[in-house]
Amino acid sequence: MGQVLTTDSVPDRDKLAFWHEALAQALVPMTVIPLTDGPFTGRIVTDQVGHLRVCDIDADAQRASRTREHLVPRSGGFIGIAVPGSGTATLVQDGRTVSAAQGDLLVYDTARPYFLNCPEPFSIRVVHIPRRLLRLPEREIELVTATVIDATEGFGAAVASLLTTLVTPERPYSREIASRLAAGVAHLFGTLVTERAQQAEVEPELQRDEMVLRIRDHIDHHLEDPSLSPETVAKAHHISVRYLHRLFEGEDTTVARHIQRRRLEQCARELSRGSETAPTVAAVAHRWGFVSPAHFSRVFRSVYGIPPREWRNARPVVR
């Protein structure tokens, strides 16, 4: 049977103290600062579904903070999932700030300090899942805490649907059903966390590939610049030279060698169009960023096996 905690019959002078006790009883201890001028009002309908704590909260605008003084040492704590019904909520935890409204899932960790701001009257469903029930690596849990998850698609929609329809404090469950339901919520949420963890592993790789493509394109557009170098490339992309070299570790070449190879390819292509009016080998080399004709001849021969002058005379015309 659910419990209702409301300020309705509480004297105005005692409402805030009552609300502090109600939140501590239903969820976890925290400090609340009302954002209203008149008497504070709030209502919590709370129940236990298996190992889940389930609360429906309707209250006036407020700021709630859970500080280190509220934390219980060596307590496993809970992972909180908030499903806003009306109003907005802004969460600050682990240096991240996220805002949620209807259609979002807001995830936080009660084992670490957090700050929650609700600037207007709101309604919200909060479900606390014991960390031990999730059986997930800490590094995966940290990927979703202090984040907002879209509750309109994918696993986010499935979790939101389960929390808002199946987990109903007003509906009594047998002990067996409640236990199965709690395990189902934990399992589905765990699947969502694992999916986010896998995305987090893939996204940096995709970002790396996109950055390498941009760098390659930049190099191709600046081959004629004799000053083109790893240093100028890194500066143009607002990254360090060390990070630039790290990006190219999977490219089977270095940045400097890639620049040189692309210059040589352009020179080879232009020289193969040889005609009586064609520019000299030295002019072609200079056009594509080679400062020293002697150096150009050496590296060209090391790659193509013959001097650039013979290449121009021997290769078929390339259109």
Side-chain angles (χ1 to χ4, degrees):
M1 184 66 179
Q3 182 181 16
V4 179
L5 305 171
T6 177
T7 61
D8 288 349
S9 59
V10 178
D12 289 352
R13 66 178 181 276
D14 298 327
K15 288 184 184 295
L16 185 57
F18 173 86
W19 190 246
H20 278 97
E21 293 178 5
L23 286 174
Q25 178 181 336
L27 296 170
V28 290
M30 62 187 79
T31 299
V32 175
I33 300 176
L35 300 179
T36 55
D37 294 331
F40 180 83
T41 62
R43 182 175 185 268
I44 304 175
V45 179
T46 180
D47 207 341
Q48 191 84 15
V49 180
H51 293 290
L52 305 179
R53 293 183 181 181
V54 185
C55 296
D56 284 327
I57 305 174
D58 295 271
D60 285 337
Q62 60 186 274
R63 293 173 183 165
S65 58
R66 181 163 167 81
T67 66
R68 295 192 180 278
E69 287 71 25
H70 293 117
L71 304 182
V72 178
R74 295 182 295 278
S75 173
F78 300 87
I79 298 301
I81 310 174
V83 187
S86 63
T88 60
T90 298
L91 171 71
V92 180
Q93 187 172 52
D94 299 330
R96 298 192 291 266
T97 301
V98 293
S99 296
Q102 189 175 23
D104 296 322
L105 293 176
L106 188 62
V107 184
Y108 60 94
D109 185 355
T110 68
R112 301 196 302 280
Y114 61 85
F115 171 87
L116 188 65
N117 184 47
C118 300
E120 56 190 345
F122 66 95
S123 65
I124 196 167
R125 165 158 290 183
V126 178
V127 178
H128 276 189
I129 306 176
R131 298 171 71 93
R132 56 182 171 78
L133 198 63
L134 291 173
R135 299 179 181 178
L136 291 170
E138 185 66 24
R139 61 178 180 82
E140 291 190 4
I141 292 178
E142 290 177 355
L143 290 173
V144 296
T145 54
T147 66
V148 170
I149 298 172
D150 188 353
T152 63
E153 62 180 16
F155 285 113
V159 172
S161 176
L162 187 57
L163 296 184
T164 56
T165 59
L166 297 180
V167 184
T168 306
E170 292 82 1
R171 181 186 302 169
Y173 297 110
S174 68
R175 178 174 298 180
E176 180 181 0
I177 294 298
S179 178
R180 288 176 178 269
L181 189 54
V185 170
H187 178 73
L188 185 57
F189 180 72
T191 302
L192 172 63
V193 172
T194 299
E195 180 192 43
R196 293 288 288 259
Q198 291 176 349
Q199 290 176 349
E201 292 176 354
V202 172
E203 286 173 0
E205 185 66 21
L206 293 176
Q207 293 172 0
R208 189 200 74 85
D209 291 344
E210 291 174 0
M211 176 65 80
V212 170
L213 287 175
R214 289 199 297 270
I215 290 171
R216 285 176 174 271
D217 185 64
H218 173 85
I219 289 173
D220 283 348
H221 282 83
H222 293 81
L223 289 175
E224 300 176 15
D225 182 358
S227 68
L228 182 66
S229 67
E231 289 73 21
T232 61
V233 172
K235 183 177 181 180
H237 291 83
H238 309 289
I239 59 177
S240 68
V241 175
R242 177 177 296 183
Y243 182 62
L244 174 64
H245 289 316
R246 192 158 67 244
L247 286 173
F248 269 70
E249 286 177 355
E251 299 300 302
D252 196 31
T253 188
T254 65
V255 181
R257 287 177 180 174
H258 177 72
I259 293 172
Q260 184 183 85
R261 180 175 61 81
R262 291 294 295 130
R263 282 173 166 163
L264 287 173
E265 289 173 352
Q266 294 302 323
C267 289
R269 177 176 292 275
E270 186 167 346
L271 289 171
S272 67
R273 299 194 184 106
S275 66
E276 293 182 359
T277 59
T280 65
V281 170
V284 170
H286 185 268
R287 175 180 300 170
W288 292 106
F290 287 98
V291 177
S292 167
H295 171 70
F296 167 67
S297 294
R298 285 196 303 271
V299 296
F300 190 97
R301 183 167 187 167
S302 68
V303 172
Y304 293 98
I306 58 176
R309 190 178 304 278
E310 291 184 24
W311 174 273
R312 183 176 61 178
N313 296 332
R315 298 295 296 175
V317 174
V318 178
R319 301 296 182 187

